Amino acid sequence: MSVINISKDNFAGEVLRSDRPVLLDFWAPWCGPCRMVGPILDEIARERADIKVGKINVDEQPELAGQFGVMGIPAMVVVKDGTVVNQATGARPKSQILALL
């Protein structure tokens, strides 16, 4: 499966009502560490059919960033059954991202 771009318009359906855990990546195009994490998340999305990977551009979706209290990017949040179960800020290697799940 590929990475899904999440906006306030599809957030409820793709994240809150998802039948699988969702790994959200809060990012921005100008963020160097975000660009480093992007390919890792693409790889995880291709390899793991049991989870959903979504990207939220904080410049385009400031309401969602605020809702999750995102103060620094990249920020990763794991949502399961509509509830945040884990989160981390900063670029991380694939093994640490997978450990969040």
Side-chain angles (χ1 to χ4, degrees):
M1 181 172 248
S2 60
V3 173
I4 301 164
N5 284 314
I6 303 293
S7 69
K8 61 184 180 206
D9 297 328
N10 68 355
F11 179 78
E14 294 289 356
V15 178
L16 297 180
R17 293 193 294 270
S18 176
D19 58 347
R20 296 173 281 170
V22 182
L23 173 61
L24 294 174
D25 172 34
F26 289 86
W27 72 288
W30 47 262
C31 166
C34 298
R35 290 195 306 268
M36 291 170 39
V37 170
I40 297 170
L41 294 172
D42 292 338
E43 194 176 302
I44 292 170
R46 283 192 306 272
E47 294 173 354
R48 297 280 305 265
D50 60 321
I51 63 165
K52 197 182 281 191
V53 178
K55 293 180 74 80
I56 300 174
N57 183 325
V58 296
D59 290 339
E60 296 173 357
Q61 303 297 324
E63 302 92 351
L64 289 176
Q67 181 179 333
F68 283 88
V70 173
M71 300 304 255
I73 55 173
M76 283 156 271
V77 177
V78 179
V79 179
K80 186 174 183 182
D81 299 322
T83 304
V84 173
V85 294
N86 212 342
Q87 57 191 44
T89 303
R92 295 168 184 276
K94 183 177 178 181
S95 60
Q96 288 184 16
I97 295 171
L98 289 171
L100 292 171
L101 299 165

